[in-house]
Amino acid sequence: MEISVAMLGGQKLSAKFGDHEVISDQSLAAGGNAEHPEPFDYFLVSMVLCAGFYARKFCQQRDISTQGMSLKQNNENVDEDGKKLFSIEITLPDGFPDKYKKALVAAVNTCTVKKVIQAVPEFSVVVK
């Protein structure tokens, strides 16, 4: 997938890919208007949205209701070595079968965003 970024007014940026457009801005402190999430916010949100997709898919494949299911991500944890820790907490719906709890966690752990981060991708930046 190719993503094209254009500079908009102020500190806003527009990222276009396929039929979609995502607009980012910066905080007031960084010279923006805070009208849209900052780029790093989109990155953080992508992890828990991906986890939510895999949780829903797991439940749908087993005909388990997701009514009342929610996910919450904490981005503020740091271990004793100063390494950033991301945690996702899943609130299960009433009646969720106990026998599937570990399997649900395993399914959520297959999140594509998480896998890419854990693979430590390389980046190339060139000027044309």
Side-chain angles (χ1 to χ4, degrees), residues 1-75:
M1 167 179 51
E2 183 174 287
I3 302 170
S4 298
V5 173
M7 308 292 169
L8 303 178
Q11 296 299 320
K12 293 185 194 78
L13 300 170
S14 165
K16 292 185 180 182
F17 51 100
D19 295 332
H20 304 286
E21 178 180 25
V22 173
I23 297 175
S24 70
D25 198 358
Q26 293 293 320
S27 66
L28 297 173
N33 292 327
E35 293 176 2
H36 300 278
E38 294 185 25
F40 191 67
D41 296 333
Y42 281 114
F43 164 71
L44 293 174
V45 159
S46 72
M47 291 187 288
V48 72
L49 286 173
C50 185
F53 167 77
Y54 281 91
R56 173 182 278 157
K57 185 175 176 183
F58 177 89
C59 291
Q60 287 175 335
Q61 290 171 339
R62 288 155 186 82
D63 200 28
I64 300 170
S65 173
T66 56
Q67 185 70 33
M69 178 180 279
S70 65
L71 290 85
K72 186 184 301 185
Q73 181 172 293
N74 184 326
N75 307 315

Side-chain angles (χ1 to χ4, degrees), residues 55-122:
R56 173 182 278 157
K57 185 175 176 183
F58 177 89
C59 291
Q60 287 175 335
Q61 290 171 339
R62 288 155 186 82
D63 200 28
I64 300 170
S65 173
T66 56
Q67 185 70 33
M69 178 180 279
S70 65
L71 290 85
K72 186 184 301 185
Q73 181 172 293
N74 184 326
N75 307 315
E76 303 301 321
N77 296 326
V78 178
D79 71 9
E80 61 275 355
D81 296 323
K83 184 178 178 182
K84 189 99 167 146
L85 299 173
F86 297 99
S87 64
I88 295 175
E89 179 182 290
I90 304 169
T91 300
L92 296 174
D94 291 336
F96 189 90
D98 284 338
K99 69 179 183 177
Y100 287 130
K101 288 180 181 179
K102 286 183 181 177
L104 174 66
V105 170
V108 169
N109 276 321
T110 65
C111 164
T112 311
V113 175
K114 179 183 174 195
K115 285 185 171 191
V116 168
I117 294 166
Q118 290 177 321
V120 190
E122 302 233 356

